[in-house]
Amino acid sequence: MEEKIMHLLITEDDMALAQGLQRALQEKNRQVLCCKNIQETRQHLHQNKTDLLILDVNLPDGSGFDLLQEIRRTSDLPVILLTANDLEMDIVSGLEQGANDYITKPFSLAVLWARVNTQLRNRTVQMQKESAKNTQIWEGSIWKFDFTNMRFTVSGQEVELSKTEQKLLALLVQHVGMTVPRETLMDRIWTDGAVYVDENALSVAIKRLRDKLQAKEQIRTVYGIGYVWEV
């Protein structure tokens, strides 16, 4: 299954810098666009899907801090502030107003790349959780899980899961990127009133789920704690 395209927006009045960042961050399944001021940015955000905003603080028609506050009233869109001002007070202020990260000029493209990737990974996790919560359909890479109709496919091929495996899978994908403790999984899966459940039952269910879903790398064991569905 084709990966979803992530949409990045760079708001920077230095167009040479903005275009350089656009070229540096552009890659497959990633669209990067530029705006030169707050007005253009506000219009773009209202009309287009955006997954990450890289926002300069000092803009011709106002402060990026003000736009950030405006965004935070209605949206949890990831925002990385970009500025030449490295005063600690400004950095703290930006983070307290809701910025996800703060980078001061001059900066390393490698550092910016890493921080952008971190925010996009977090965004992907958030969207996957919302998808699982709101629509009961979860999609990622080669998998599609329809918990409403209990249909589970791998690379387009349907696989049959037991009731135990369905419960286990639902708990894992509802907490993508987070370790779910063994105790939580056992309490939530075996709810038939049984006084005692062999702890090996969970290990067996995990192994079967990995094999059926071709997810040996995706379902990772966190030794001594539990299991996590990797991003």
Side-chain angles (χ1 to χ4, degrees):
M1 184 170 57
E2 185 179 355
E3 295 182 31
K4 291 181 173 60
I5 294 177
M6 303 299 285
H7 301 268
L8 282 68
L9 180 64
I10 300 170
T11 299
E12 168 62 63
D13 60 319
D14 182 340
M15 293 313 295
L17 174 59
Q19 291 169 3
L21 294 177
Q22 182 182 30
R23 289 191 296 269
L25 295 173
Q26 189 82 42
E27 64 172 21
K28 181 183 177 183
N29 297 322
R30 183 184 293 179
Q31 182 187 59
V32 185
L33 299 175
C34 300
C35 290
K36 63 179 179 293
N37 56 42
I38 289 177
Q39 182 179 355
E40 284 187 6
T41 303
R42 186 182 290 116
Q43 182 177 1
H44 180 94
L45 293 176
H46 285 163
Q47 297 178 352
N48 300 280
K49 181 181 185 296
T50 306
D51 295 301
L52 174 64
L53 172 61
I54 300 174
L55 176 63
D56 190 14
V57 170
N58 300 306
L59 294 164
D61 56 347
S63 168
F65 287 135
D66 294 336
L67 179 59
L68 174 61
Q69 289 180 338
E70 181 181 325
I71 291 170
R72 283 293 169 261
R73 294 189 192 107
T74 59
S75 172
D76 58 358
L77 171 70
V79 177
I80 298 177
L81 291 179
L82 196 63
T83 180
N85 194 344
D86 61 355
L87 291 178
E88 183 176 300
M89 183 179 297
D90 286 332
I91 296 175
V92 171
S93 176
L95 295 174
E96 287 184 342
Q97 290 179 55
N100 299 81
D101 207 342
Y102 198 112
I103 301 177
T104 58
K105 304 174 187 176
F107 54 86
S108 161
L109 280 178
V111 170
L112 178 63
W113 179 272
R115 293 186 175 186
V116 164
N117 285 344
T118 296
Q119 295 304 323
L120 291 179
R121 283 196 299 269
N122 293 341
R123 183 71 166 176
T124 299
V125 170
Q126 180 186 21
M127 290 190 298
Q128 289 176 339
K129 286 180 180 179
E130 288 300 317
S131 175
K133 178 180 178 181
N134 297 329
T135 68
Q136 294 300 306
I137 295 178
W138 188 93
E139 297 183 63
S141 186
I142 62 172
W143 301 280
K144 181 175 181 179
F145 306 142
D146 181 347
F147 291 98
T148 300
N149 299 301
M150 293 305 171
R151 296 187 62 187
F152 309 93
T153 58
V154 181
S155 299
Q157 299 297 314
E158 191 165 345
V159 297
E160 186 174 339
L161 301 181
S162 68
K163 293 294 184 183
T164 295
E165 291 160 355
Q166 292 172 12
K167 291 180 181 180
L168 176 55
L169 178 61
L171 286 168
L172 290 174
V173 300
Q174 285 170 7
H175 299 84
V176 170
M178 300 172 59
T179 301
V180 185
R182 289 181 60 90
E183 295 78 8
T184 299
L185 292 171
M186 295 188 70
D187 289 343
R188 297 282 297 277
I189 293 170
W190 284 277
T191 57
D192 56 1
V195 176
Y196 174 77
V197 176
D198 186 351
E199 286 197 7
N200 190 51
L202 179 57
S203 299
V204 171
I206 286 286
K207 183 181 185 306
R208 289 177 176 169
L209 196 60
R210 282 174 173 151
D211 291 342
K212 289 183 178 182
L213 298 180
Q214 301 174 32
K216 294 181 180 179
E217 299 292 332
Q218 206 73 20
I219 303 175
R220 181 170 64 86
T221 301
V222 181
Y223 290 100
I225 302 177
Y227 301 92
V228 57
W229 185 282
E230 292 282 16
V231 179

